[in-house]
Amino acid sequence: MAEKKHFSFSFKLAEFILIGLLIISGVFLTFSSGRFVLDFKKIGFTAVSTVEKGVHYVVDGCVSTVNAVKELHQLKKEYHSLLEKLENYEKMQRSNTEIRKENERLREQLGFATYMEEKNIPAQIIARDLDSAYSYITIDKGSVDGIKKNMPVVAFQNGNQGLIGKIVQVGAFTSQIIPIYNIDSIISARIQNTRDLGLVNGKGSDSIPLSMQYIQKRIFDQLSIGDIVVTSGENGNYMRDIPIGSISKITVLDYNSSLSIDLTPIIDFSRLETVIVVNQKELNDRKMQE
């Protein structure tokens, strides 16, 4: 029987060394051929320029951010400055509007005062007591301006003349008025269209209607809501036919022969700012010249 033969490959150390040297020589020959020669100068330039470019972008970004922050801060300052100017402009507009309205009111009062027959003194309200039934109004004119006790006080509002009250206390530079709504105020008055005589008194507040008494029931059918009540001119306390208020309610009382009448004052006291104090004993200078 024939024996099988076994083939085996084996390399000695010298052969490995030879193969290694051949590979190393091939590599060096390859690099020395110029196709894969490493240019360290170029590599260095590329690396440095890349870093410089990155630094440039970073620095440029930082500068842009700082500039943007500065611009934003400047815009905020300009924005607040414009807001302040706008606010000042609006205040100026409101002030001009108020001044125009005040001038209109003063012209209205001055025109009324000029054409009154009696000598008169325009005055400004500087204080008022609204919490008491015995409230008073204080004005900025006194004895040095010719004001005396018991002088009647009127006003001109929205084209309407109306009674305010009378002077009850006089100082050198200020005076006090007892208004028609004061609970102690009693005025001799007439219904304008019927000429019936009665008394008008206050109830302690300008928000509560005035009361008129002693008007007989027999004229009930002759009265209407809105009829005007005026001063009678009797007793010398007030000039004649100065409007006091308009009838707002008429009540018939079974136990009384007189009607109970409520009046709404002609003048809106809550908006009253200027008044005219009247000297009934002297004529207006303009009327004297005429």
Side-chain angles (χ1 to χ4, degrees):
M1 185 174 179
E3 295 181 357
K4 294 182 179 180
K5 294 182 179 181
H6 297 279
F7 296 94
S8 61
F9 298 94
S10 61
F11 294 95
K12 295 180 179 180
L13 179 60
E15 294 173 344
F16 276 111
I17 293 172
L18 177 60
I19 293 171
L21 290 175
L22 289 174
I23 293 172
I24 292 171
S25 299
V27 170
F28 276 105
L29 287 173
T30 302
F31 280 107
S32 65
S33 65
R35 288 177 296 175
F36 299 99
V37 175
L38 296 176
D39 191 341
F40 291 102
K41 183 176 181 181
K42 184 175 181 180
I43 293 173
F45 172 76
T46 301
V48 171
S49 61
T50 302
V51 172
E52 288 179 345
K53 186 175 182 180
V55 170
H56 171 74
Y57 283 137
V58 171
V59 172
D60 187 61
C62 291
V63 171
S64 298
T65 302
V66 171
N67 289 336
V69 171
K70 288 182 178 179
E71 290 178 2
L72 180 60
H73 180 68
Q74 183 64 27
L75 286 173
K76 285 184 177 180
K77 287 179 64 178
E78 293 177 358
Y79 172 73
H80 289 300
S81 176
L82 287 173
L83 282 181
E84 185 177 355
K85 290 179 179 179
L86 179 60
E87 184 177 354
N88 291 335
Y89 175 76
E90 290 176 348
K91 287 181 179 178
M92 184 176 66
Q93 288 293 98
R94 287 195 296 269
S95 178
N96 289 338
T97 301
E98 291 172 0
I99 290 173
R100 285 196 297 270
K101 289 182 179 179
E102 179 65 19
N103 288 338
E104 289 175 3
R105 287 193 296 268
L106 291 175
R107 281 196 299 269
E108 184 180 50
Q109 295 286 350
L110 181 60
F112 174 58
T114 301
Y115 287 96
M116 287 183 67
E117 292 186 358
E118 299 85 1
K119 187 174 182 178
N120 54 78
I121 306 161
Q124 191 84 16
I125 294 175
I126 57 174
R128 67 182 82 194
D129 180 9
L130 300 178
D131 298 327
S132 171
Y134 302 93
S135 55
Y136 294 89
I137 296 173
T138 304
I139 57 175
D140 63 349
K141 297 293 175 65
S143 59
V144 297
D145 303 291
I147 292 180
K148 296 178 182 179
K149 189 175 180 179
N150 292 324
M151 283 185 173
V153 182
V154 297
F156 200 67
Q157 187 181 73
N158 299 325
N160 298 315
Q161 178 188 0
L163 183 66
I164 301 302
K166 68 178 179 179
I167 300 294
V168 291
Q169 187 172 339
V170 182
F173 304 103
T174 60
S175 301
Q176 275 192 334
I177 303 168
I178 179 173
I180 58 176
Y181 57 81
N182 187 298
I183 201 168
D184 281 342
S185 173
I186 300 176
I187 305 164
S188 176
R190 292 184 183 276
I191 297 175
Q192 191 175 51
N193 63 338
T194 68
R195 306 310 295 178
D196 284 277
L197 183 67
L199 292 178
V200 172
N201 65 278
K203 295 183 179 179
S205 172
D206 62 351
S207 62
I208 301 175
L210 306 173
S211 174
M212 188 173 191
Q213 301 173 355
Y214 307 112
I215 300 298
Q216 299 299 312
K217 288 182 178 178
R218 58 181 173 77
I219 70 161
F220 175 77
D221 293 335
Q222 302 176 42
L223 302 179
S224 300
I225 300 300
D227 284 350
I228 302 298
V229 174
V230 298
T231 55
S232 69
E234 297 181 3
N235 303 322
N237 290 329
Y238 299 99
M239 302 84 72
R240 185 174 180 175
D241 288 333
I242 301 297
I244 300 172
S246 60
I247 295 176
S248 57
K249 183 179 179 181
I250 304 172
T251 304
V252 178
L253 303 174
D254 293 336
Y255 57 83
N256 198 325
S257 61
S258 300
L259 299 170
S260 176
I261 300 175
D262 287 348
L263 305 179
T264 299
I266 293 294
I267 299 298
D268 183 350
F269 282 85
S270 65
R271 296 183 177 181
L272 185 64
E273 298 180 53
T274 56
V275 298
I276 297 172
V277 182
V278 182
N279 184 348
Q280 300 181 81
K281 296 181 179 180
E282 296 184 34
L283 288 176
N284 193 335
D285 293 337
R286 181 184 179 90
K287 294 297 180 181
M288 291 178 65
Q289 291 174 4
E290 292 177 354

